[in-house]
Structure formats: C-alpha cells, structure tokens
Amino acid sequence: MTNPSHDTDPTTPYVTVTAVCFGALLSYALLNPAIWGDLSLEPFRQGATFLAIAPTWALLAARASKKPLRHLGFTLAWDWAATRGLVLLLPVILYNVWNVTLRGIAVAASAQSPTLSGTLGVAFGTGLVPPLAEELLFRGYALTVLLDGAYAPKRFLGLTSVSWYISVIFLLPHLITVVPGYLFVNLGRFYAGLVYAWIFERTRSLTGPIAAHFLVNLPTALVALVPLLLR
C-alpha cells in the first residue's frame, strides 16, 4: 500500500469512489426502465444492463485516475490467501444452500410454471453478473483507490478501515431486496463482502474475489434452474 503525500486531501478518495459507486447504481436504476420500459423487471434484462453499466463506470473511472488496469486488479493470480478466503466463506455458502433448497421445494410444490427466459435470466443475473460487475466496481476500482489514497488505514479484525467502508457501500443496494430470511441473508452478504475485500487486499487481483463471489451466488443460480428440471 502506498501513502499519499501530506498535501493530498485524505477525504478525496472517499468522495471519488462513493460518487463512482453510487453513480453506477443510479445509472442502473434510471437506465434499466428507460431502455426496457415495462420489461425492465425481466431478470435477464436487469442483469445485462448492470453488467454493461457497472464495469463501464469502473473502467472510465480507472482511466480518469491514469492508473494502468493491471494496477487495479485486472490480472490473473491465485495464491493461498484466495484459498483461505474460500474457506472463510463456507458458512455463507452452506447457509445459501440451505436457504435456496427451501425455496426450491417451494417452487416444486407451486403450480406456477416460470418461463424459460425468466428462469435462465435469474440464473444469469445471480450467478454471472454480480461476480463480474460488482467485483470490478467495488473491489477492482473502489477498494484499490482507497488502499492507495487513504492515510495508513487502521485495521480491525484483520481488515483495513477502507475495506469495511467499501463493504458497507457494497451492502447498501442489496438491502432493498426483500427475501426469505432477510436479516440473515444480508448479514451473510456483508460478511461475504468483507471476505472479498480481505482476499483482494492480500492478492491485489480480482481472480480470488470473483471466484469467491461466484461460489457464494452459485446455489441461488442453480435453484433458479429447478423449474427446467421439473418440466
């Protein structure tokens, strides 16, 4: 981690990354219905829109920072820290398996017959979009800027204060989603966000966080495919 010169305002990185993150989220909220109209609630279109918007904001902001992309974690790397991160996420993964299994049973017992596009859209929007789009935005861009720009961030439970800050920012847009086990689901999301940041702090590569995020979301993506198996 590099410390900025003393004539640099330490609040600037926080203002910058907060503006970029919320700019991406606001763009998604505005452009999704503007592009698709009444179809904006269709899962595949939601996922495709966010997959286009979030990385675009991250890449443009990275370009504006005049940092090479490899500096922002755009490299392929894996080490023991990433493996330990996956182990730390096992409680969240197991809870998600249990939670979505109950939802799968409910789907199986339901007389509803979800459409093929809707089913695949949910799997796409939960299994592929968040690991790529959210990691590029929250860890690849935002966390890197804070790690490089904040004054010697304090550590708490093995994480810098900036990682805690980004994990809170990461959690906020998820809080609007009402799901069964709302409290535990969101506590799990916050914990997972901390682990993604922990992995990134130690590897400075997005490979580990993307893989970890994919595994956490995989149970939800798989249960979405249950209706196809029951046809």
Side-chain angles (χ1 to χ4, degrees):
M1 183 188 307
T2 60
N3 287 327
S5 61
H6 291 292
D7 59 352
T8 302
D9 184 352
T11 64
T12 300
Y14 288 94
V15 173
T16 300
V17 302
T18 303
V20 170
C21 289
F22 279 98
L25 296 172
L26 182 61
S27 296
Y28 169 73
L30 294 176
L31 292 178
N32 188 41
I35 294 172
W36 303 111
D38 291 340
L39 296 177
S40 64
L41 295 179
E42 202 277 328
F44 183 83
R45 290 179 173 85
Q46 284 184 329
T49 305
F50 193 68
L51 188 58
I53 289 175
T56 298
W57 272 83
L59 293 173
L60 289 176
R63 180 71 175 176
S65 71
K66 298 181 180 179
K67 300 277 189 179
L69 294 184
R70 57 183 171 77
H71 178 77
L72 298 172
F74 292 72
T75 57
L76 294 177
W78 189 275
D79 63 18
W80 176 236
T83 304
R84 285 191 294 165
L86 296 182
V87 174
L88 290 172
L89 284 169
L90 280 178
V92 177
I93 295 173
L94 292 175
Y95 175 78
N96 284 350
V97 169
W98 175 79
N99 196 34
V100 301
T101 298
L102 296 181
R103 289 165 57 190
I105 293 173
V107 169
S110 173
Q112 296 179 349
S113 180
T115 63
L116 175 62
S117 61
T119 300
L120 294 178
V122 171
F124 170 74
T126 58
L128 294 179
V129 172
L132 294 174
E134 292 180 356
E135 293 311 311
L136 283 168
L137 178 64
F138 292 106
R139 259 64 65 171
Y141 167 72
L143 184 53
T144 297
V145 170
L146 291 182
L147 287 172
D148 286 350
Y151 285 123
K154 296 181 180 179
R155 287 189 171 272
F156 179 68
L157 297 180
L159 280 170
T160 60
S161 56
V162 295
S163 286
W164 284 87
Y165 180 76
I166 286 301
S167 297
V168 170
I169 298 296
F170 168 71
L171 176 65
L172 291 179
H174 295 91
L175 290 176
I176 63 174
T177 304
V178 179
V179 294
Y182 176 80
L183 176 61
F184 290 105
V185 168
N186 284 299
L187 284 175
R189 286 169 173 164
F190 181 61
Y191 173 74
L194 291 174
V195 176
Y196 305 150
W198 184 87
I199 295 172
F200 187 77
E201 275 192 23
R202 284 153 180 76
T203 65
R204 293 305 283 264
S205 169
L206 284 174
T207 305
I210 287 175
H213 202 150
F214 173 78
L215 288 177
V216 167
N217 286 25
L218 185 60
T220 305
L222 291 178
V223 79
L225 300 176
V226 168
L228 295 183
L229 302 177
L230 297 177
R231 288 193 172 193

